Amino acid sequence: GPSAEPVARLRHQEVPRGDRAPFPSEAARALADDLSRRIEGEVRFDAGSRALYATDGSNYRQVPIGVVRPRDRDDLEAVVAVCHEHDAPVTLRGGGTSLAGQACNVAVVVDCSRHLTRILELDPGARTARVEPGVVLDDLRAAAAPHGLTFAPDPATHDRCTLGGMLGNDSCGVHSLLSGRTSDNVESLEVLTYDGLRLRVGRTDEEAVARFVAEGGRRGELYGRLRDIRDRWGDEVRDRFPRIPRLVSGYALDRLLPERGFDVAAALVGTEGTCATVLSATVRLVPNPAGRALLLLGFPDVLAAADAVPAVLESGPIGLEGVSGPMFDALRAKRLHLPDLELFPDGAGWLLAEYGADDDVAAEAGARRAAERLAALHPNGSRVLAGRAEQTRAWRVRESALGATAQAPGQPPTWPGWEDSAVPPEHLGDYLRELVRLLDRFGYRHALYGHFGQGCVHLRIDFDFRSTPGTAAFRRFVTEAADLVVGFGGSLSGEHGDGQARAELLPRMFGPSLVEAFGAFKAAWDPAGRMNPGKVVEPRPLDADLRLAGPAGWPPAPPTTFRFPDDEGSLTSATLRCVGVGACRREDGGVMCPSYQATREERHSTRGRAHLLYEMLRGEVLEDGWRSRAVKDALDLCLACKGCKGDCPVRVDVATYKAEFLSHFYAGRPRPRSGYAMGLIHWWARLAAHAPAAANAAGRAPVLGRLARLLAGVDERRTLPAFADRTFRDALADEADLATALSADAVASSGRAGGRRVVLWPDTFTEHFRPAAGLATARVLGAAGFEVLVPGGDVCCGRPLYDYGFLGQARRLLRRSLDVLEPAIDAGLPMVVPEPSCASVFRDELVGLFPADDRARWLSRRTFTLGEFLADHAPSFALGRLDRPVLYHGHCHQKALAGTDSDETILRRLGATVSAPEAGCCGMAGAFGFEAGEHCDVSLRIGERRLLPAARAADPETLVVADGFSCFEQLRQGSGRQPLHLAEVLAQALPR
């Protein structure tokens, strides 16, 4: 047996608490200087970076000493060495989506997600891969897929979570049924201790352990301590550790047992960065079933669904998830995934059981056999989804759960805090009943979902963190819930880890002796206690460091021009929509966030910008308020594409926040030259309309053109858009049969004639740059049987003004537009806007600026693009035939606010073969892509991701279709193709 001396050392090892005194500012400066000299990566100790990393996806906020982004492995080792020399604590961070506070600390935060992203080796024969800690899970899965392999654990954040973060939290996911948790899929780890020991760890036989100990040194001491821990607490570990598939709480001391192979790597997984730094990981890959089918089972409620879990498990699914009615209610309230919800059977609780096989036919057969066998258990019916597209849609519903339940219209926000408890699957139904009773006793609103096949329950609750009694109730609830789950033989955490949220409660689950063992384990690796202090071992209280506790967490909302009607009229509440789930950090796919995809900078993500705005309002770290350069720099590369408002599961709206911020930032200050040149384009275009040929000649002349671009702040790589020879309304006047001027008399007389009427809005881009699109729109509407009314006079929605914060001018233009449109509004007429970005103003900004104006609310609901209008008002309109391939690019505002299905459907009705190569923004984004320097760089980088190469590669017979004027210019200038507006395509196809 072990000698008494090492055990005595373990017993009395001091592990510093997490509530150390703040790191002195002088020491922080010296640390930053030393780091800057010693590493190639970024060292960011500025206020903006510290504010940016002050929180993660949890309820907690701790402002770091600074942030470091190491360039490579050598950098990572140097960072730890320098921090050790300065006695500075270290917190490792992956995707920043931790829900228990693991990724925020008063420490040097090391972000590995920017550069440490290499798959170092992939061995299909051995079914292993060696990766750096910043590798995104989906990148590893994509690399393994051609070999028929995958990394089995797959949390809902699979398209942005990193392997380092998964190792830290022992992540699981839907397919843990297939191959267990992350700890079950790790072959070995290459790690670095805070005091500089580098070693590779994995399964270790007794002979090797004895040899290491005999060799002495730091490695021998470490293995001796680990062996002593095993020998002293081994029997207690066997007795007290719950035997459940989702045991993620505490340290995995059971992995040190001889029957588990003394697996040091697996024991380190789930330690949340509190023990050592992972330099690389060798992970196991498993065969990926080529065939998949999804069985959806409907139940009267989620409790009945939970009761059915054991029977469903007997049918052999590779994934088994549960969702509840309130989650669906939240999705419907947000109008998210509405067509996808129709895939599910009736009910108020559902199970999603996935079956795998060698091919889709066999998988579908397995799912149908299971449905027949389980028929008596699901009174609300079932449905088998055999097609991959439908399966993806159903999984999309499940993956949106966190964002959907975090913010529901008309309801208080919900928060984590008791979001991933786990029990034996056979006890899940009974546990949920008791948990719901507890929630009801506290008066908490909630929505349940989770990995029911492994007894793991995800839950968001409307805790009241604003008041002292509310925070006290939060603490009482979590404590009682901990006793409840322990009573069912479960775990405080089944996926997200302990961090600060649950570590204080570990004695209730494991008892004081095993908690002492956890402390000994940490001390063996980290004697100084500098690795992510205050988490898991010697934790800070679960109700300390709460981001939203008390008045400081909810700073008073400053006066704003936008009214934020969906956020209590408060910019503060609007920024708190972001729950840190990080969907904006996807590197591909979706509409948001093009600037993050171009730069991969946290401050350029939707999450980063929302967090910085909140910190600005809070005013502790960012002290300059509306003059904050950190916020200005973060928003500078925002394209205002509105992708976040449509794609973000909680509908964070950075485009609106940016416009509001800039209106204050520039108050009393000059704006950039481009702001006056392009932000005020409505007035310049009206002036140019008196002599368009002269204006165009000046813009294209060698000397005058360069001077004009310089004065306007336009990049030399861009050409200035050409003004039309005649405006849209001048050209329309020559074709009197196409339209009538909008007026009260015209509305009244056409109403008496009994015809169907529609307003056609003459937006600035259609009026002055692309009148052919307006004329074609009028022709198509006329052919569809509508009388077209066009407003006269100086009208504009002010779209470009928002990009530069000219909100006063924008309000005045919109008020004038409402007055001009009032006769049509009173008559209930719909309005078609050829330019999608201008349509989005009437749908979105209009209500944000005039929430109390009935005209604004009405008009926002009755504004359409042409494709949407025809789909809603003339679905049987005879379109004619086109029979040509079409490369279609929808405007990002349209994608975000309404989608482009109607446009693509109508093109297919013409007989066109439609391809849409880019899911997000084209990169031009109004004036953004014209602006000199970094804006143009980013614009071209975004365009070159897919859209421009696809347009250049398209066959000459292919029509390129883009309704947005900025998209038109990006395609014209970047590919040499001349795009058409949807209206022009439809007009070409009209029956003659």
Side-chain angles (χ1 to χ4, degrees):
S3 66
E5 185 185 6
V7 175
R9 284 206 310 269
L10 291 175
R11 249 182 212 162
H12 297 100
Q13 172 67 45
E14 179 183 354
V15 181
R17 292 185 58 82
D19 50 359
R20 304 171 69 236
F23 205 75
S25 56
E26 299 83 3
R29 281 193 292 272
L31 173 60
D33 290 343
D34 216 356
L35 285 165
S36 297
R37 284 192 296 268
R38 305 251 301 260
I39 75 167
E40 296 293 325
E42 298 97 13
V43 178
R44 297 179 176 177
F45 278 49
D46 59 284
S49 297
R50 294 171 63 232
L52 184 64
Y53 284 79
T55 190
D56 48 16
S58 71
N59 296 325
Y60 298 96
R61 174 183 180 271
Q62 290 179 284
V63 181
I65 299 167
V67 178
V68 181
R69 301 198 308 179
R71 180 79 56 181
D72 52 26
R73 173 207 168 106
D74 291 341
D75 261 8
L76 183 54
E77 293 188 36
V79 169
V80 176
V82 172
C83 288
H84 179 258
E85 292 165 14
H86 288 259
D87 194 32
V90 172
T91 291
L92 300 162
R93 180 176 170 121
T97 59
S98 298
L99 290 172
Q102 299 97 321
C104 59
N105 212 328
V106 183
V108 174
V109 172
V110 183
D111 183 353
C112 297
S113 68
R114 179 66 177 90
H115 301 299
L116 291 165
T117 58
R118 293 182 303 160
I119 299 173
L120 300 169
E121 182 182 348
L122 198 149
D123 185 340
R127 293 181 179 175
T128 61
R130 189 163 62 91
V131 299
E132 291 183 324
V135 169
V136 170
L137 172 59
D138 271 3
D139 292 343
L140 173 60
R141 295 165 74 190
H147 308 288
L149 300 172
T150 191
F151 186 71
D154 57 343
T157 54
H158 53 81
D159 55 3
R160 65 263 192 199
C161 69
T162 67
L163 268 293
M166 295 180 69
L167 291 165
N169 286 355
D170 197 6
S171 296
C172 308
V174 172
H175 293 104
S176 295
L177 276 179
L178 184 64
S179 188
R181 313 192 302 266
T182 297
S183 55
D184 299 312
N185 293 273
V186 171
E187 188 75 24
S188 65
L189 298 176
E190 188 181 12
V191 299
L192 173 70
T193 64
Y194 184 77
D195 53 6
L197 174 66
R198 286 185 296 274
L199 71 166
R200 184 177 297 278
V201 297
R203 294 173 70 90
T204 319
D205 60 35
E206 287 296 310
E207 181 181 345
V209 173
R211 185 173 67 253
F212 294 156
V213 174
E215 289 170 355
R218 179 69 173 96
R219 183 175 69 168
E221 178 192 19
L222 171 63
Y223 272 86
R225 289 188 170 203
L226 296 180
R227 183 178 64 183
D228 294 339
I229 291 168
R230 178 201 66 187
D231 292 343
R232 178 181 172 190
W233 282 286
D235 287 341
E236 195 168 356
V237 167
R238 294 182 182 95
D239 291 341
R240 290 294 301 262
F241 269 46
R243 291 178 175 83
I244 59 174
R246 287 299 187 99
L247 174 58
V248 180
S249 278
Y251 289 155
L253 301 185
D254 56 322
R255 302 289 186 156
L256 297 179
L257 297 174
E259 60 266 34
R260 303 296 297 273
F262 201 81
D263 193 338
V264 179
L268 274 177
V269 174
T271 55
E272 305 178 11
T274 60
C275 293
T277 297
V278 174
L279 301 175
S280 70
T282 300
V283 298
R284 300 184 191 111
L285 304 175
V286 299
N288 191 21
R292 301 287 177 103
L294 187 60
L295 171 61
L296 305 178
L297 303 171
F299 299 87
D301 56 39
V302 74
L303 302 178
D307 288 335
V309 163
V312 179
L313 286 173
E314 291 177 3
S315 66
I318 62 173
L320 179 56
E321 302 290 290
V323 294
S324 66
M327 190 193 112
F328 275 34
D329 294 341
L331 287 169
R332 291 189 181 100
K334 292 183 173 186
R335 302 192 64 76
L336 285 173
H337 306 308
L338 295 183
D340 303 335
L341 296 180
E342 299 301 317
L343 295 172
F344 287 77
D346 292 338
W350 297 268
L351 293 178
L352 296 81
E354 186 177 52
Y355 296 83
D358 291 338
D359 56 51
D360 288 341
V361 173
E364 181 182 357
R368 295 197 181 281
R369 284 195 301 271
E372 293 172 7
R373 192 160 52 244
L374 299 166
L377 292 177
H378 50 87
N380 292 76
S382 66
R383 183 173 184 185
V384 173
L385 304 182
R388 291 301 174 94
E390 284 191 332
Q391 292 177 46
T392 299
R393 289 169 56 197
W395 282 124
R396 192 163 55 195
V397 170
R398 165 62 184 87
E399 291 175 359
S400 68
L402 190 154
T405 56
Q407 293 274 354
Q411 299 287 349
T414 62
W415 310 103
W418 190 251
E419 74 283 347
D420 73 323
S421 56
V423 297
E426 61 270 22
H427 298 321
L428 181 61
D430 292 336
Y431 168 64
L432 287 184
R433 285 180 179 82
E434 293 300 322
L435 182 59
V436 168
R437 289 191 187 99
L438 181 62
L439 288 159
D440 291 344
R441 179 155 58 82
F442 275 81
Y444 287 141
R445 185 177 62 86
H446 58 275
L448 291 167
Y449 57 97
H451 308 292
F452 280 17
Q454 293 195 312
C456 183
V457 181
H458 292 321
L459 182 67
R460 292 188 69 90
I461 303 170
D462 61 340
F463 296 119
D464 169 22
F465 290 119
R466 297 197 196 197
S467 69
T468 300
T471 303
F474 158 72
R475 182 180 181 85
R476 290 196 309 274
F477 170 80
V478 171
T479 303
E480 291 191 37
D483 291 338
L484 177 63
V485 75
V486 169
F488 276 92
S491 175
L492 306 177
S493 173
E495 183 159 42
H496 299 146
D498 299 313
Q500 188 170 344
R502 285 172 287 277
E504 184 189 348
L505 304 169
L506 289 176
R508 294 173 177 268
M509 177 177 170
F510 291 102
S513 178
L514 284 179
V515 169
E516 182 185 356
F518 297 156
F521 185 83
K522 176 177 171 61
W525 292 96
D526 178 32
R530 297 297 183 263
M531 294 299 296
N532 211 12
K535 318 294 181 180
V536 187
V537 168
E538 294 288 349
R540 290 181 58 74
L542 64 88
D543 53 350
D545 309 310
L546 291 170
R547 179 167 55 123
L548 303 178
W554 295 83
T560 55
T561 305
F562 278 103
R563 302 302 188 216
F564 303 102
D566 295 328
D567 295 289
E568 304 175 340
S570 163
L571 178 58
T572 299
S573 296
T575 63
L576 287 172
R577 278 181 171 269
C578 179
V579 296
V581 71
C584 49
R585 282 175 53 95
R586 288 181 308 224
E587 296 175 24
D588 201 6
V591 185
M592 69 169 181
C593 176
S595 52
Y596 176 80
Q597 291 177 354
T599 69
R600 296 189 62 239
E601 289 270 3
E602 173 71 16
R603 65 182 175 141
H604 295 146
S605 68
T606 300
R607 178 178 74 181
R609 289 165 175 147
H611 282 180
L612 280 175
L613 281 162
Y614 169 77
E615 290 289 337
M616 178 198 81
L617 296 170
R618 186 164 180 142
E620 294 172 5
V621 183
L622 302 181
E623 300 175 342
D624 298 333
W626 292 116
R627 301 294 193 185
S628 171
R629 288 301 317 185
V631 176
K632 170 64 168 59
D633 291 346
L635 292 171
D636 185 58
L637 292 187
C638 169
L639 284 76
C641 69
K642 289 189 178 290
C644 48
K645 182 150 190 177
D647 230 15
C648 171
V650 290
R651 297 193 181 280
V652 171
D653 183 8
V654 174
T656 296
Y657 309 163
K658 176 183 179 180
E660 185 66 53
F661 173 82
L662 291 179
S663 73
H664 298 273
F665 181 84
Y666 286 124
R669 289 177 168 181
R671 285 168 168 79
R673 295 190 305 275
S674 56
Y676 300 105
M678 291 178 277
L680 306 180
I681 189 63
H682 170 67
W683 290 275
W684 294 118
R686 282 173 55 80
L687 183 63
H690 295 292
N696 290 333
R700 292 168 184 158
V703 176
L704 281 178
R706 283 197 296 272
L707 180 61
R709 283 197 295 272
L710 178 65
L711 292 175
V714 173
D715 197 279
E716 63 182 9
R717 290 166 288 183
R718 296 297 193 184
T719 58
L720 296 171
F723 295 102
D725 293 338
R726 302 187 70 195
T727 68
F728 162 54
R729 284 179 291 186
D730 283 347
L732 196 61
D734 294 342
E735 301 189 47
D737 59 326
L738 284 183
T740 304
L742 173 65
S743 67
D745 289 342
V747 170
S749 62
S750 63
R752 285 192 296 273
R756 294 195 298 171
R757 299 160 295 165
V758 61
V759 175
L760 175 57
W761 180 254
D763 62 82
T764 295
F765 304 103
T766 302
E767 175 78 353
H768 295 286
F769 295 96
R770 213 176 173 188
L775 292 169
T777 303
R779 289 192 182 98
V780 171
L781 290 171
F786 291 91
E787 180 183 352
V788 178
L789 305 176
V790 179
D794 179 17
V795 293
C796 180
C797 70
R799 172 75 269 164
L801 296 171
Y802 300 94
D803 295 337
Y804 300 97
F806 287 113
L807 295 188
Q809 295 92 322
R811 274 180 60 87
R812 287 192 289 275
L813 284 178
L814 278 178
R815 195 185 302 276
R816 185 191 308 162
S817 297
L818 285 172
D819 292 342
V820 169
L821 291 169
E822 190 161 351
I825 293 171
D826 289 343
L829 304 187
M831 182 170 74
V832 171
V833 183
E835 168 57 42
S837 67
C838 296
S840 78
V841 172
F842 289 113
R843 283 176 159 158
D844 190 22
E845 282 89 352
L846 179 64
V847 178
L849 292 169
F850 301 99
D853 191 320
D854 290 340
R855 300 175 303 172
R857 290 196 299 271
W858 192 94
L859 185 60
S860 73
R861 296 191 298 268
R862 299 289 287 167
T863 296
F864 301 89
T865 63
L866 177 62
E868 295 162 357
F869 180 79
L870 292 176
D872 283 358
H873 293 75
S876 58
F877 170 44
L879 295 172
R881 296 294 297 177
L882 186 67
D883 295 321
R884 289 178 65 179
V886 168
L887 187 152
Y888 171 80
H889 182 72
H891 193 283
C892 48
H893 288 191
Q894 184 177 352
K895 293 173 182 174
L897 298 181
T900 59
D901 288 351
S902 57
D903 287 9
E904 295 185 49
T905 298
I906 207 168
L907 285 167
R908 290 189 177 96
R909 282 179 57 200
L910 290 173
T913 303
V914 182
S915 64
E918 177 53 69
C921 181
C922 71
M924 186 65 87
F928 181 93
F930 285 98
E931 293 174 337
E934 190 176 14
H935 285 199
C936 186
D937 292 341
V938 169
S939 171
L940 292 171
R941 207 179 311 161
I942 294 169
E944 292 294 346
R945 283 166 48 84
R946 283 194 190 83
L947 180 62
L948 295 180
R952 288 192 291 264
D955 187 274
E957 287 297 305
T958 298
L959 296 179
V960 179
V961 177
D963 286 6
F965 181 67
S966 57
C967 311
F968 172 90
E969 285 295 321
Q970 179 79 310
L971 282 159
R972 184 183 69 81
Q973 297 191 30
S975 73
R977 300 297 296 261
Q978 190 74 10
L980 298 174
H981 192 283
L982 175 66
E984 294 174 288
V985 176
L986 294 178
Q988 287 181 19
L990 286 175
R992 302 298 178 186

